[in-house]
Amino acid sequence: MRATRRTTLLRAAAVSGAAAVALALPTGAAFADDAPPTAPPARPEQQAGPEQPAEPTTPSAGPKEQRRFVTTVRLADGSVAKVHRVGPGHFEADVYAGSTKLDTLVSKNGRAAHGRHNGLHVVLQPNGTVTSWVEGTKPAPKPEPKPAPERKGKPVAESSVRVNLPGGRIGKLVDGPQGKRVEIATYKGERVATVDLKNPSVFDDGWTYKLVQDGKRVKFVVIDGRGGGDSWGYDFGGRLIEQYTAERT
């Protein structure tokens, strides 16, 4: 009985000792018999360091824009701007006073560039044009073209009619927005003269051609000075509205 009890105590002590050793070891050592999981290999770009430097980035190749001279513009104070085209929608203007370069204006992406120096204002427009003015004055705005006068919603167009005139001439009677006029030519188409309300009369080779204001109506009169003074009057529809025959002596 004593031997059995001693054996049992030894076994219990051994088990207790083994448990103590196991508890004393760190957690990793307790699972040292199991094969640790293999870590995936690092990618090349993750291994950059003194032994394996990262590959340099290569800049993307693209077409180079060239600076080409366009024109020289005289500015409001006597200085000049030399305009260059660099690329589509990209203009640059170098402003010079004599041989001294004052500034470079850059217009890109549809935006105008503005510069100022000693009261001089310079603007480089997106289309490459340059405007300038001196402090206290501004460039006069460009007059907008006036539309042609309209009649019943439609623009007034010129009307013309050709008439065979006495004396071997042809008259083109024109009525339009600029007023009435008559263009006189030979049968071969050679221009002789033009009469209008500002210059209403002309004399050629013994014949007189003139416009006459008759109330609200304007008529064209041809007078034969060589043949005694006979005359013919036309309206601007080309109709002969009057004729006068001089008395013969």
Side-chain angles (χ1 to χ4, degrees), residues 22-230:
L23 291 174
L25 291 173
T27 305
F31 296 95
D33 292 337
D34 297 330
T38 304
R43 295 181 180 178
E45 60 268 18
Q46 294 176 339
Q47 296 178 355
E51 287 125 10
Q52 187 174 353
E55 296 182 1
T57 304
T58 304
S60 58
K64 275 192 174 182
E65 294 180 332
Q66 294 183 356
R67 199 171 191 258
R68 298 182 179 179
F69 175 76
V70 177
T71 187
T72 298
V73 180
R74 179 72 60 179
L75 303 178
D77 68 342
S79 55
V80 297
K82 296 184 178 181
V83 182
H84 298 77
R85 185 179 185 274
V86 184
H90 181 179
F91 289 90
E92 296 181 359
D94 297 331
V95 181
Y96 287 89
S99 60
T100 304
K101 184 176 179 181
L102 302 178
D103 197 1
T104 297
L105 305 181
V106 179
S107 173
K108 295 177 67 176
N109 302 322
R111 295 183 179 180
H114 177 267
R116 184 173 63 181
H117 180 76
N118 288 343
L120 172 68
H121 294 255
V122 184
V123 179
L124 174 63
Q125 303 292 348
N127 61 357
T129 58
V130 175
T131 57
S132 67
W133 67 93
V134 178
E135 197 82 34
T137 63
K138 288 188 177 180
K142 294 182 180 179
E144 296 182 359
K146 295 182 179 180
E150 295 186 357
R151 184 181 298 166
K152 294 183 180 180
K154 295 182 179 179
V156 178
E158 275 192 351
S159 62
S160 64
V161 61
R162 292 180 181 274
V163 177
N164 293 329
L165 303 177
R169 296 287 189 263
I170 295 177
K172 180 181 177 182
L173 287 74
V174 182
D175 188 4
Q178 305 302 322
K180 292 178 173 60
R181 70 180 187 275
V182 179
E183 299 171 358
I184 305 157
T186 66
Y187 279 113
K188 294 182 180 180
E190 298 172 351
R191 180 181 176 277
V192 175
T194 298
V195 292
D196 54 27
L197 291 176
K198 293 182 179 179
N199 302 285
S201 180
V202 67
F203 181 81
D204 177 70
D205 196 22
W207 292 82
T208 299
Y209 306 94
K210 63 180 181 178
L211 292 185
V212 178
Q213 185 82 43
D214 185 8
K216 294 183 178 180
R217 181 180 66 175
V218 178
K219 61 185 179 181
F220 173 55
V221 178
V222 180
I223 302 173
D224 180 7
R226 294 189 306 178
D230 295 348

